[in-house]
Amino acid sequence: MSTPPPGSLVLGPYVLPNRLFVAPMAGVTDRPFRVLCKKLGAGYAVSEMVTSRKDLWNSLKTSRRANHEGESAPISVQIAGTDASMMAEAAAYNVDRGAQIIDINMGCPAKKVCNKWAGSALMQDEALALEIVEAVVAACAPRGVPVTLKMRTGWCQAEKNAVALARAAESAGVAMVTVHGRTREQGYSGRAEYDTIAAVKAALRIPVVANGDIDTPHKAREVLAATGADAIMIGRAAQGRPWIFAEIAHFLATGEELPAPRIADAKGWLIEHLHDHYALYGELTGMRSARKHIGWAVRALPGGEDFRRRMNTLETCDGQVRALTDWLDALADDHDRLPYLPTADDAIDGALDDADTDAAAAANDEHQDQERRLTA
Ligand SMILES: Cc1cc2nc3c(=O)[nH]c(=O)nc-3n(C[C@H](O)[C@H](O)[C@H](O)COP(=O)(O)O)c2cc1C
């Protein structure tokens, strides 16, 4: 590796182009969406989680999740599970299929594996969590593959063990830690807090990434300042708005806000994303799963909600592309740039609440359901 530019964020042999990451989101951050975000300014993307259950590795869902064609390095794959040797095997399996970084999910509720909840549930069992980290590092280190960890601030308010777990993970060889500023018990309620992330950053030598409720360039700057984090990770605010990475990068570099994208540019990016999406999923699944992306892209625009409802009745990929093209062209008759409506302060909470009744936001919905079951 040639000497990286000063101040670069380095992960093993990889020099990341910037410090703005797109968060792993099951049902959302598939390869087409990651490629789109990277093209529009994200410096790093983590795949949706892949289960450590071997019997599911050949399923269509898992093989689509392991598809990295055309994605720029480093390819980071998140794995979830509750058994150390299975997780080590899953890491090796994904490295064989192109993963260049392995991320361990202790940040969101993964499905039950062998009768135990994976993901953030592991934070309650520090010994098991560490056993998993050590096994995955042992599988990856000989192959030069960095292992990273994504966690929450703790299991519940009374047990915020992020600092202890992050320290132990660093000692075990983890190369970077991401912290979502909520406890597992909180699900997505309340606001993310950044003090615990700041404490993790202060306690570690490896890079620490701050995550949770970052939805504007101003918020990005505030969170970086409040936590001292080496990078920030953005999830829900990138849904339908993948250009948020370029907006944040510009603001951090200049202190000035970029105007919203030109409608013609946004149309080009969105339609290209749709074609990439259909190519991965095929006509029927692609048409259905593209609805949420289109819905998110139009939700904050005038007439977006009506369009979304109408678009959800269309049954072909061609029909979706034509409808979105026509709708954006009509919007461009009156506007040069995307005319975003003012958003409420709790725009992110709202996005998830809407998802309860909104078929187009099925990915958020499914995720919320899992959170609710776990915290009930
Ligand atoms: C639909 C959805 C799916 C998610 N899936 C995952 C996942 O597979 N792995 C993970 O670690 N976190 C997952 N998360 C959590 C996000 O990575 C992120 O930590 C969380 O949304 C907070 O960031 P935000 O406020 O920027 O959205 C998911 C979140 C959402 C909304």
Side-chain angles (χ1 to χ4, degrees):
M1 184 172 76
S2 55
T3 314
S8 300
L9 214 165
V10 178
L11 266 185
Y14 305 102
V15 182
L16 304 186
N18 66 36
R19 292 156 186 273
L20 309 175
F21 300 176
V22 57
M25 289 183 282
V28 182
T29 46
D30 51 17
R31 192 255 300 146
F33 190 74
R34 296 195 302 274
V35 168
L36 178 72
C37 290
K38 283 181 172 177
K39 175 176 165 170
L40 296 177
Y44 181 66
V46 183
S47 78
E48 311 164 88
M49 66 184 141
V50 174
T51 177
S52 63
R53 273 182 51 182
K54 249 183 179 168
D55 53 322
L56 298 177
W57 286 349
N58 284 326
S59 73
L60 192 54
K61 187 168 165 183
T62 301
S63 63
R64 280 197 190 115
R65 285 188 176 187
N67 180 318
H68 313 295
E69 282 163 34
E71 187 176 357
S72 60
I75 306 294
S76 171
V77 173
Q78 185 181 71
I79 56 173
T82 56
D83 179 273
S85 60
M86 280 166 76
M87 287 286 273
E89 257 189 281
Y93 177 86
N94 281 286
V95 171
D96 287 343
R97 275 151 195 78
Q100 295 162 320
I101 293 174
I102 293 290
D103 186 54
I104 301 175
N105 179 352
M106 290 187 200
C108 107
K111 289 206 168 108
K112 262 187 170 178
V113 182
C114 306
N115 272 337
K116 285 187 206 153
W117 285 100
S120 48
L122 287 173
M123 290 193 74
Q124 202 180 23
D125 187 342
E126 276 182 37
L128 175 60
L130 198 59
E131 199 192 318
I132 287 175
V133 167
E134 285 168 349
V136 173
V137 169
C140 292
R143 308 171 76 169
V145 172
V147 174
T148 61
L149 178 63
K150 180 159 178 288
M151 59 164 75
R152 287 187 169 229
T153 52
W155 170 259
C156 61
Q157 184 62 26
E159 282 176 59
K160 282 197 183 173
N161 56 347
V163 172
L165 196 53
R167 265 211 191 107
E170 180 180 58
S171 302
V174 158
M176 179 171 79
V177 169
T178 300
V179 186
H180 174 190
R182 287 185 174 85
T183 61
R184 153 73 181 283
E185 187 185 54
Q186 274 181 292
Y188 281 89
S189 62
R191 305 252 163 223
E193 56 90 3
Y194 304 110
D195 291 350
T196 306
I197 304 179
V200 172
K201 168 63 194 163
L204 264 51
R205 285 183 307 271
I206 55 174
V208 172
V209 185
N211 169 240
D213 297 353
I214 301 170
D215 56 352
T216 63
H218 285 272
K219 186 76 183 269
R221 187 167 68 181
E222 278 165 38
V223 172
L224 281 168
T227 59
D230 301 277
I232 49 174
M233 178 178 272
I234 294 158
R236 290 163 293 165
Q239 294 173 347
R241 211 165 174 159
W243 36 84
I244 193 168
F245 299 101
E247 293 173 346
I248 293 175
H250 183 82
F251 182 73
L252 293 179
T254 66
E256 282 168 20
E257 284 185 59
L258 273 181
R262 291 212 150 75
I263 294 177
D265 292 335
K267 184 175 84 176
W269 297 323
L270 294 173
I271 300 291
E272 192 185 342
H273 175 227
L274 285 182
H275 286 303
D276 203 10
H277 186 92
Y278 302 145
L280 180 63
Y281 292 98
E283 170 80 20
L284 185 62
T285 308
M287 177 273 296
R288 290 198 179 134
S289 57
R291 286 177 177 161
K292 60 180 179 274
H293 289 287
I294 303 173
W296 288 324
V298 302
R299 69 182 162 195
L301 297 169
E305 184 50 28
D306 285 347
F307 171 72
R308 188 186 64 75
R309 258 191 240 115
R310 196 158 42 82
M311 183 270 306
N312 278 347
T313 65
L314 302 175
E315 295 285 344
T316 64
C317 298
D318 273 357
Q320 283 182 339
V321 168
R322 245 181 295 121
L324 183 62
T325 304
D326 291 349
W327 191 77
L328 288 170
D329 285 347
L331 202 62
D333 287 342
D334 298 322
H335 307 272
D336 178 34
R337 295 180 179 277
L338 290 173
Y340 282 119
L341 300 167
T343 46
D345 278 353
D346 59 352
I348 279 193
D349 292 346
L352 280 165
D353 294 344
D354 288 344
D356 290 341
T357 53
D358 184 348
N364 276 350
D365 225 9
E366 188 188 331
H367 191 69
Q368 283 272 86
D369 280 352
Q370 276 194 4
E371 294 274 5
R372 246 181 260 117
R373 281 201 302 277
L374 289 168
T375 51

